[in-house]
Amino acid sequence: MADSEISTTLSRPSRRDVISAALLTVGGASFNSSSAAAPRDGGTTDAAIIAWKAWRTAHRRTLALCRKQQRLESELARMIGFPQVVLAAAELPSPMRIGSLWQFDELAADLPSLCSQREEVAAALRALRWSPKSGQGVKLGSA
């Protein structure tokens, strides 16, 4: 027989094709089923299944720890609040709440006359850190 005049090359397998073939080889389309993790050949389990189980366990633990951290941070914010200083100065139209030195520096960039109060604001913020009265704030300066 002679070669055909029409010759087409086979397309490369897509990522979906490869994943589908791998899932069929493992034993199903769902990793949640017990058949996916069941040993097939005399008690040995595929290394990918073992790695996946270890990842799943670590992932669940990470999520639990993340939620615990979020609960603790929320409780801390409720109990203590966030340190803030109320800055009253003649240059300001009304007293301003300052929660960080970065926020003060942003304000002082527009009003250079406030730069002389930076150390006072820094000391007040340091004193309020992790104290129960930090949510109430401290008033600095005079309007």
Side-chain angles (χ1 to χ4, degrees), residues 45-117:
T45 303
D46 187 13
I49 300 293
I50 294 169
W52 172 76
K53 285 181 177 181
W55 175 87
R56 188 175 64 172
T57 302
H59 181 65
R60 286 181 180 163
R61 177 146 171 78
T62 301
L63 284 178
L65 291 173
C66 178
R67 290 186 183 118
K68 182 178 180 179
Q69 178 185 359
Q70 290 171 345
R71 278 194 310 273
L72 291 173
E73 286 175 350
S74 297
E75 184 179 341
L76 186 63
R78 267 192 308 277
M79 288 174 49
I80 295 176
F82 296 98
Q84 59 184 351
V85 174
V86 179
L87 182 63
E91 300 89 352
L92 298 172
S94 63
M96 302 277 300
R97 292 187 183 272
I98 306 292
S100 66
L101 282 179
W102 177 82
Q103 191 177 8
F104 177 81
D105 291 339
E106 289 286 314
L107 181 64
D110 296 333
L111 300 167
S113 58
L114 293 178
C115 290
S116 61
Q117 295 181 335

